Amino acid sequence: MLWLAFHFHSLSLEVFSRGAAVPDPLAVVEKQGSRTWVIACNDAAEACGVRAGMAAPAAQALVDGLIVRKRDPLAEQASLAGLAVWAGRFTPSVSLEPPAGLLLEVSTCLSLHRGLANLLKLARAGIGEMGYAAAMACAPSSHAAWLLAQAGIEKAVRDPARLERILAALPVAL
């Protein structure tokens, strides 16, 4: 088996910003306990000093005219479901990995796409055309592929010994 994992690391932001030609500074916030924190921001906001993990009032004080949106888990879930439907063009074996991931079993359909390299190229182009960004990784198990994608290690690792070395170096938090 060969699994392809997509980690949509900016999904909470992209539900508000995808398709925007020249976006204004935008931050997505979430209330955690009694405080509200920035969980994601676009490049324009980052250029002004806004960072994920920053208190929302500090971000608003830092950037005049900062657009602030409250995280919308339902919109994220709907986007992920739409992405799963799109991913069905590559394989009938698509699984959701909420809140921001997809897992595809692709070994049975590689010949249909003229190999893994071409499938990855088509997937990368499709994601970009839809206005999303994702880390993509392949491995012999779904869990290993998912860990690699979450870590941003965009590789296709088929050799078990090599996979073991790469996974051993990942942070325990993953």
Side-chain angles (χ1 to χ4, degrees), residues 25-26 44-50 57-67:
L26 169 67
E46 277 191 8
C48 297
V50 177
Q60 288 175 297
L62 188 63
V63 181
D64 190 35
L66 178 68
I67 300 168

Side-chain angles (χ1 to χ4, degrees), residues 115-129:
L116 181 60
N118 196 54
L119 186 147
L120 294 174
K121 179 180 163 188
L122 292 169
R124 174 71 61 210
I127 289 169
E129 287 170 6

Side-chain angles (χ1 to χ4, degrees), residues 13 55 84 117 126 164 166 169:
L13 179 67
E164 184 178 340
I166 293 170

Side-chain angles (χ1 to χ4, degrees), residues 2-168:
L2 184 64
W3 290 86
L4 170 58
F6 294 94
H7 180 234
F8 297 94
H9 44 79
S10 300
L11 190 61
S12 61
L13 179 67
E14 289 165 346
V15 297
F16 297 107
S17 66
R18 70 186 195 99
V22 181
D24 293 325
L26 169 67
V28 178
V29 300
E30 184 172 53
K31 188 167 185 150
Q32 297 171 349
S34 62
R35 296 191 172 179
T36 303
W37 303 96
V38 173
I39 60 164
C41 60
N42 66 2
D43 291 341
E46 277 191 8
C48 297
V50 177
R51 301 283 181 264
M54 177 181 276
Q60 288 175 297
L62 188 63
V63 181
D64 190 35
L66 178 68
I67 300 168
V68 177
R69 297 283 183 257
K70 184 179 173 188
R71 184 175 189 186
D72 188 346
L74 291 177
E76 293 173 36
Q77 184 179 21
S79 291
L80 193 59
L83 286 161
V85 170
W86 165 82
R89 71 183 53 202
F90 301 112
T91 178
S93 301
V94 179
S95 302
L96 296 174
E97 187 64 36
L102 295 177
L103 294 169
L104 287 68
E105 200 292 307
V106 296
S107 61
T108 58
C109 59
L110 290 177
S111 62
L112 294 173
H113 300 288
R114 296 186 320 245
L116 181 60
N118 196 54
L119 186 147
L120 294 174
K121 179 180 163 188
L122 292 169
R124 174 71 61 210
I127 289 169
E129 287 170 6
M130 291 185 294
Y132 291 100
M136 299 178 356
C138 292
S141 77
S142 59
H143 193 67
W146 179 237
L147 289 171
L148 293 173
Q150 282 185 293
I153 300 172
E154 295 194 330
K155 294 182 184 246
V157 183
R158 292 183 175 179
D159 176 51
R162 182 172 174 235
L163 180 61
E164 184 178 340
R165 285 191 305 274
I166 293 170
L167 292 175

